[in-house]
Amino acid sequence: MSTSAAQSKPIGGNNNILEVIRLKRGDLRKSDRKVAELVLADPKRVVNATIAEAAEWAEVSQPTVIRFCASIGCQGYQDFKLRLAQSLALGMSATHSVIDGNDSPAGVSEKIFDYTITSLDWVRNHLDPVAVGRAVDALAKANRIEFFGFGASGIVARDAQQKFPLFGVPCGAETDAHQQIMVVSSLKPGDVVVVISNTGATLAIIETARRARESGCQVIGIVGSDGPLVEFCDIVLMVETLENTNIYTPTISRIAALTVVDILSTSVALRRGDEHVEIFTRMKRNLRYLRMSNET
């Protein structure tokens, strides 16, 4: 393998070196950790620094900087700086997107865009393509699809239900616990249930998934963590995000789940064939009549 090919290979499946450093920081040697903390504290400064400058600022030796680069999967200091520049282009690390009360609207805008872009890139590199393929297979064969979620996950469920023309079969969405039990009790084999929960631990959603399995439905889980819900899912789409507990942090789990719904609905639509494309095209054409024209 050439040097350029090696340098273009993602580290641990993740293209964002800032997030790699953030996750590995606790496992590094004490001296290497000094370099990590320097990078996380001011990545824009480090990306333009020589190895001597980085060593001086971190108060370590130049060999320590080189060792740090190797410990996070880079091919040397220049490869590290290249990856750091790419990460900055993607958006700042989530640890640098925390909003505080002194931020201006422009600062809030920059941080939320950076945080969202960085987090979605993280999801993209951790989403299991095999599980996505299995989910698309199940949805493409479904006689009926029901989406269930609460709170932000309920918004995702509603959005998925609105995409029923892409799925090509009747779709429903319920965000009320009583209605969920009523709907799931009427389902039968051949129907597919999609349960959405960032925590994977919402009791009512777990009960809905359990009852869906009892009804013979295939259950797909869009979850953000390995909670109890996954035990009742036939297919698990682990949508891991960089969510944190800061009160101002946007709910990136919702945005990531919405993106996954787009992936699923579009992939199913592509399998429906020319007849389905024609129906969908006709629907889009008819919707245009509801919009104000330029002449009007």
Side-chain angles (χ1 to χ4, degrees), residues 32-218:
D32 292 358
R33 198 178 307 135
K34 288 184 176 181
V35 184
E37 290 169 353
L38 168 70
V39 176
L40 292 175
D42 197 349
K44 291 182 178 179
R45 183 189 187 197
V46 175
V47 78
N48 295 312
T50 65
I51 189 170
E53 289 172 331
E56 180 183 354
W57 296 338
E59 298 181 347
V60 298
S61 66
Q62 292 186 33
T64 297
V65 175
I66 295 172
R67 186 179 63 205
F68 160 77
C69 295
S71 70
I72 58 172
C74 295
Q75 303 294 320
Y77 186 65
Q78 291 305 315
D79 182 34
F80 159 70
K81 291 214 301 180
L82 173 61
R83 293 186 186 282
L84 182 58
Q86 291 170 340
S87 292
L88 289 172
L90 284 171
M92 291 290 288
S93 169
T95 56
H96 288 81
S97 298
V98 176
I99 297 169
D100 61 53
N102 297 319
D103 284 332
S104 66
V108 170
S109 175
E110 181 179 2
K111 285 185 175 182
I112 288 181
F113 272 112
D114 283 341
Y115 184 80
T116 301
I117 293 168
T118 300
S119 297
L120 286 178
D121 186 62
W122 175 269
V123 173
R124 177 175 61 181
N125 285 292
H126 288 78
L127 187 63
D128 182 0
V130 175
V132 172
R134 292 180 59 210
V136 171
D137 289 340
L139 293 167
K141 297 174 184 176
N143 298 321
R144 172 183 174 185
I145 305 171
E146 293 289 340
F147 300 92
F148 300 109
F150 294 111
S153 296
I155 295 172
V156 178
R158 292 293 188 193
D159 179 75
Q161 190 273 334
Q162 297 241 358
K163 292 182 170 59
F164 73 91
L166 288 170
F167 286 111
V169 294
C171 295
E174 291 297 340
T175 59
D176 175 84
H178 293 87
Q179 289 293 328
Q180 287 182 4
I181 295 301
M182 291 170 62
V183 169
V184 80
S185 298
S186 70
L187 299 178
K188 55 186 181 296
D191 298 334
V192 172
V193 163
V194 181
V195 288
I196 307 162
S197 173
N198 184 48
T199 64
T202 305
L203 292 176
I205 289 291
I206 294 172
E207 178 63 13
T208 296
R210 185 186 70 79
R211 289 178 181 267
R213 290 276 290 271
E214 288 181 350
S215 298
C217 301
Q218 199 161 15

Side-chain angles (χ1 to χ4, degrees), residues 273-290:
D274 294 339
E275 182 179 353
H276 180 69
V277 172
E278 175 56 32
I279 293 172
F280 190 68
T281 302
R282 185 166 61 251
M283 180 201 70
K284 288 285 222 180
R285 186 166 56 246
N286 291 338
L287 284 173
R288 284 203 296 269
Y289 291 108
L290 298 177

